[in-house]
Amino acid sequence: MSYFKYKNKNVYYCEIGNGKPVMFLHGNAVSSKMFKPILSLYKNNFKVILIDFLGCGKSDRVEKFDTDLWIDQGKQVTKLIKHLGYDKVSLMGTSGGAWAAINAALYCPKLINKVVADSFDGRKLGDTFKEDLIEERRNAKKSIFTKCFYKWCHGKDWENAVDSDTEVLIKMSAEDVPLFYRPIKE
């Protein structure tokens, strides 16, 4: 297993395949394992890079996430790109990973080739984000399938990882924190 250091913590990553580098960025409350079922579609044409953001999957846990979560994850992405020695990486982020991808491009545009941002709310969290999230996570914890999926992504401490993520997202929504490193129109 490969790791790089970020804020004195181990962040897990792996590289699979050959070709131009494409980094897949997982969403909130999950890990890079979510991409495992589709890797065969990409590994013959691309160097696929997977990362488990701090607090997720095989990366070190954090006591709690900061409210600049997606900005910080964007910085983790750029740190990994530099660590690997790439100069132009395309990013494919889904859900929270989409915000991380955009933030990486805003933070260090010279390192990023293209960004695909999928399944996220856009420039701000929706008016019912907090309520929707609480309901979604409550229902997820009742589902055997979802609990197994979370455990597959994070391991035996899955509930702590999911609860920490839920807590920071609620705080981000309540405090209306900036979601981007700098204005997206830049």
Side-chain angles (χ1 to χ4, degrees):
M1 286 193 281
S2 300
Y3 292 89
F4 71 97
K5 287 285 190 188
Y6 181 80
K7 294 184 176 179
N8 293 318
K9 298 222 180 251
N10 290 316
V11 178
Y12 170 80
Y13 73 93
C14 72
E15 297 179 279
I16 301 155
N18 297 297
K20 291 182 179 180
V22 177
M23 189 179 302
F24 284 54
L25 307 176
H26 65 82
N28 288 82
V30 295
S31 73
S32 63
K33 278 190 170 183
M34 71 177 281
F35 298 113
K36 191 174 182 178
I38 63 168
L39 288 179
S40 64
L41 300 172
Y42 298 93
K43 68 181 182 179
N44 293 330
N45 298 308
F46 298 97
K47 170 72 78 172
V48 177
I49 307 161
L50 301 176
I51 181 174
D52 283 348
F53 293 122
L54 275 181
C56 301
K58 296 177 184 174
S59 291
D60 285 349
R61 298 297 185 250
V62 293
E63 192 173 314
K64 68 177 193 169
F65 293 110
D66 292 330
T67 54
D68 68 345
L69 178 67
W70 295 318
I71 294 170
D72 188 67
Q73 290 175 343
K75 291 177 181 179
Q76 290 174 52
V77 168
T78 59
K79 175 94 182 218
L80 176 56
I81 293 169
K82 290 175 185 177
H83 172 79
L84 296 172
Y86 295 122
D87 59 353
K88 284 289 184 184
V89 176
S90 293
L91 305 176
M92 199 300 290
T94 185
S95 187
W99 270 295
I102 294 167
N103 276 303
L106 291 170
Y107 183 66
C108 220
K110 292 181 180 180
L111 292 178
I112 309 304
N113 183 30
K114 294 179 173 131
V115 172
V116 174
D118 176 53
S119 301
F120 77 115
D121 291 327
R123 295 181 185 199
K124 66 181 192 117
L125 299 176
D127 294 336
T128 61
F129 179 85
K130 177 181 168 184
E131 295 77 17
D132 294 345
L133 176 71
I134 291 169
E135 182 67 20
E136 173 193 322
R137 298 284 169 90
R138 185 180 300 124
N139 289 334
K141 285 187 169 187
K142 292 177 187 175
S143 164
I144 298 274
F145 172 77
T146 307
K147 287 193 284 190
C148 287
F149 179 69
Y150 284 149
K151 187 174 183 179
W152 178 65
C153 284
H154 297 292
K156 61 185 174 190
D157 67 340
W158 69 268
E159 195 164 11
N160 195 24
V162 172
D163 288 347
S164 294
D165 183 74
T166 303
E167 180 182 312
V168 73
L169 291 176
I170 289 170
K171 189 172 183 182
M172 289 167 66
S173 177
E175 296 177 6
D176 196 29
V177 299
L179 304 178
F180 298 107
Y181 175 71
R182 62 179 197 229
I184 196 168
K185 63 184 172 187
E186 292 179 20

